[in-house]
Amino acid sequence: MEKEKSAAKILQERLVYKKKHSGLIMNEEAICESIKLSEDYKSFLDNAKTEREAVGTSINIAKSRGFTEYKKGSVLKSGDKVYFNNRGKAVIFAIIGNEPIEKGVHLAAAHIDSPRIDLKQNPLYESDEIALFKTHYYGGIKKYQWTAVPLALHGVIIKKDGTCVTVTIGEDENDPVFCISDLLPHLAAEQAKRTLSEGIKGEELNVIIGSMPFKDDEISDKVKLNILSLLNDKYGIIEADFLSAELEMVPAFKAKDIGFDRSMVGAYGHDDRVCAYTALQALLSCENVSRTAVVCLADKEESGSNGNTGLSSKYLEYFLYDIAEALGSDGRTVISASECLSADVNAAMDPTFPDVLEKRNAAYINYGVCVTKFTGVRGKAGTSDASAEFAGKIHSMLDKNGIVWQTGELGKVDMGGGGTVAAYIANLNMDVIDVGVPVLSMHSPFEIVAKSDVYMAYKAIYAFMKE
Ligand code: MN
Ligand code: MN
């Protein structure tokens, strides 16, 4: 016999807000689905460690599901599945809806660039008979985390004749990897006096790439020459070709389950490929939609969204103008009537560092997709701050579809902060709110998310597109 609930207990259940833990709510079927999704997500991560690879991988998946490249001026009709590739580093996917385009689109925007170590334009040098690459880090990193871990080299080199060499070294089991050295503790007394942020300085992020000399008695820098000789044999490049290259050092390890219960995924680049992946999967799951559904996977978020592949650029706006026109409307009307989920990660409560988050308003792993009304720093500087009306609409949509969700805030007031692409979308005169997956160790080489949250993010974006 169940004990009868007290009046206070009943009132409490009715009146008091309480977050829900996915693990206590999800049924067997949902748990199976979330595990299946995370398996596929892990292989996506392993194949998409850079923005270029994320574009290529996403387009390949979409093409296999009937998406074709959109060219301005092509005829569009409801049910069409199209994509627009912006310079190989950002991409937009769309399914044309059954309803008139004037009603606006349902947009999910995520970013596919992640913090990493870029090579400088003239990177190769030899010092003390070791060959190294000079680097310039990309995005907000804690530099000390990137030493003494295996790194893989990804990117492109444009040769003098205009041909493009694609480089991926360190991903295959038999590939060599690269590494940034750190000082042994025995001799680190002086280094230990530095602040943590200066523990490893930017100009100390030098990557070791070789140590054998070219056999010759005449010349200096024999190790460097040996490396150039190997690169010339393999890729046909000369040192000057580095000047027109985009080469990125990323962690060489693969995505792995974390925990005895395998409830989490550890990987490089959850921020923000976890939202890029779930947004793309949500779109692919839509056979038909009433509102036109659009997914934008943007580059350059981690360096401020500038550049022609970042969301400060006009390419998203141009795309929406083009499809509006093709469907007999105008861009301004369509954009102003559109709604957007800015899909990006938020900080999860870390039990080891609880002091930076305010626990009543922080996101927790396994408590579902995180809806973040505002980001920014200090007095909400730099945020778009979603309206109560739009927040309420999204919250109702999530409840209606049985999605576990929570709210989040990027740290205590004045603790720091950050931003997302939401502000740039809002500037187009669109309603937008941040949704995404809570992450532990964000911006580190090995970030952690909970599988149940990945699943809820997918379900949330899918429900939004099916509205
Ligand atoms: Mn992000
Ligand atoms: Mn980030």
Side-chain angles (χ1 to χ4, degrees):
M1 279 286 282
E2 235 180 276
K3 222 181 92 193
E4 220 172 281
K5 285 179 187 168
S6 70
K9 181 90 186 151
I10 292 167
L11 195 62
Q12 191 180 45
E13 279 175 12
R14 190 160 70 84
L15 297 183
V16 178
Y17 168 61
K18 202 165 169 281
K19 309 214 284 192
K20 299 185 182 82
H21 193 294
S22 298
L24 301 175
I25 289 179
M26 283 166 71
N27 59 24
E28 270 313 308
E29 195 193 337
I31 291 167
C32 281
E33 273 179 47
S34 85
I35 291 169
K36 224 176 100 194
L37 189 74
S38 73
E39 288 306 305
D40 191 56
Y41 172 49
K42 283 187 285 181
S43 75
F44 178 85
L45 283 172
D46 293 342
N47 288 308
K49 286 197 176 177
T50 66
E51 67 287 8
R52 286 177 190 270
E53 290 169 0
V55 167
T57 303
S58 304
I59 289 177
N60 285 341
I61 297 169
K63 273 171 132 176
S64 75
R65 305 284 288 272
F67 281 71
T68 56
E69 186 160 20
Y70 177 68
K71 294 262 187 287
K72 181 174 160 59
S74 319
V75 179
L76 284 176
K77 56 178 191 317
S78 91
D80 281 354
K81 299 172 177 180
V82 295
Y83 71 87
F84 168 72
N85 179 345
N86 180 9
R87 299 170 168 88
K89 297 202 278 187
V91 60
I92 303 171
F93 299 96
I95 298 180
I96 307 303
N98 302 325
E99 293 206 43
I101 192 77
E102 299 80 76
K103 294 204 168 169
V105 308
H106 280 157
L107 167 68
H111 67 93
I112 46 177
D113 60 318
S114 296
R116 57 174 194 255
I117 312 282
D118 285 348
L119 297 203
K120 291 196 188 194
Q121 288 323 111
N122 185 19
L124 179 59
Y125 71 106
E126 173 178 340
S127 185
D128 299 306
E129 280 148 294
I130 291 179
L132 303 107
F133 278 146
K134 289 301 294 179
T135 69
H136 196 135
Y137 67 95
Y138 171 90
I141 63 166
K142 292 164 94 175
K143 299 178 200 79
Y144 70 87
Q145 293 180 334
W146 295 73
T147 66
V149 292
L151 298 171
L153 182 65
H154 294 236
V156 296
I157 304 166
I158 305 301
K159 294 201 282 188
K160 227 179 213 137
D161 63 4
T163 54
C164 174
V165 179
T166 302
V167 178
T168 317
I169 308 172
E171 296 298 338
D172 189 88
E173 240 353 275
N174 301 311
D175 278 358
V177 295
F178 309 96
C179 195
I180 297 168
S181 61
D182 194 0
L183 207 45
L184 62 168
H186 317 65
L187 299 178
E190 284 303 314
Q191 183 195 31
K193 291 179 194 157
R194 299 182 188 175
T195 59
L196 190 59
S197 67
E198 287 276 295
I200 294 289
K201 297 177 186 174
E203 292 292 353
E204 291 170 343
L205 292 170
N206 303 319
V207 186
I208 295 176
I209 57 164
S211 64
M212 285 304 282
F214 194 87
K215 279 209 177 84
D216 181 275
D217 292 332
E218 305 278 293
I219 63 149
S220 61
D221 281 358
K222 296 188 205 38
V223 180
K224 173 178 169 176
L225 185 66
N226 195 42
I227 295 292
L228 279 173
S229 168
L230 288 169
L231 291 173
N232 188 258
D233 288 347
K234 181 155 187 191
Y235 299 111
I237 60 163
I238 58 172
E239 189 177 16
D241 291 327
F242 280 118
L243 300 174
S244 45
E246 278 179 8
L247 292 165
E248 309 173 1
M249 286 284 176
V250 297
F253 29 75
K254 304 230 179 298
K256 291 270 185 192
D257 285 352
I258 291 190
F260 289 115
D261 57 8
R262 294 179 171 265
S263 59
M264 297 161 279
V265 176
Y268 164 64
H270 284 313
D271 178 9
D272 182 35
R273 291 177 202 129
V274 68
C275 297
Y277 170 80
T278 47
L280 178 64
Q281 288 304 323
L283 185 72
L284 295 174
S285 300
C286 294
E287 253 325 300
N288 52 73
V289 283
S290 31
R291 297 279 183 93
T292 293
V294 180
V295 167
C296 179
L297 305 183
D299 181 28
K300 295 281 182 282
E301 195 277 340
E302 296 295 359
S303 59
S305 290
N306 296 309
N308 55 18
T309 52
L311 267 181
S312 287
S313 155
K314 296 261 185 206
Y315 70 93
L316 172 63
E317 199 178 337
Y318 288 167
F319 177 80
L320 294 172
Y321 266 75
D322 289 349
I323 63 165
E325 223 169 86
L327 291 159
S329 185
D330 65 284
R332 180 179 154 172
T333 305
V334 171
I335 288 173
S336 303
S338 293
E339 294 175 339
C340 176
L341 297 183
S342 160
D344 205 346
V345 300
N346 202 336
M349 173 59 81
D350 185 335
T352 305
F353 304 102
D355 296 345
V356 298
L357 293 166
E358 187 265 292
K359 66 180 195 308
R360 298 175 59 81
N361 287 284
Y364 287 70
I365 64 165
N366 287 312
Y367 276 80
V369 64
C370 173
V371 183
T372 306
K373 187 174 178 292
F374 58 87
T375 58
V377 295
R378 301 183 306 278
K380 299 191 179 182
T383 184
S384 69
D385 205 344
S387 69
E389 290 85 347
F390 190 56
K393 190 171 177 181
I394 295 300
H395 296 160
S396 304
M397 182 272 293
L398 295 171
D399 283 337
K400 197 176 79 189
N401 288 282
I403 292 155
V404 184
W405 64 277
Q406 58 184 325
T407 59
E409 185 179 21
L410 191 54
K412 278 183 179 167
V413 178
D414 288 340
M415 185 59 77
T420 66
V421 299
Y424 308 103
I425 305 274
N427 287 346
L428 298 174
N429 187 35
M430 207 184 280
D431 273 317
V432 55
I433 193 164
D434 282 301
V435 301
V437 174
V439 177
L440 290 165
S441 301
M442 195 196 292
H443 284 204
S444 78
F446 200 64
E447 303 174 317
I448 301 169
V449 297
K451 291 180 181 178
S452 67
D453 298 332
V454 178
Y455 178 65
M456 291 301 165
Y458 159 75
K459 296 270 282 181
I461 300 170
Y462 176 74
F464 172 67
M465 285 171 175
K466 289 301 269 184
E467 274 288 287

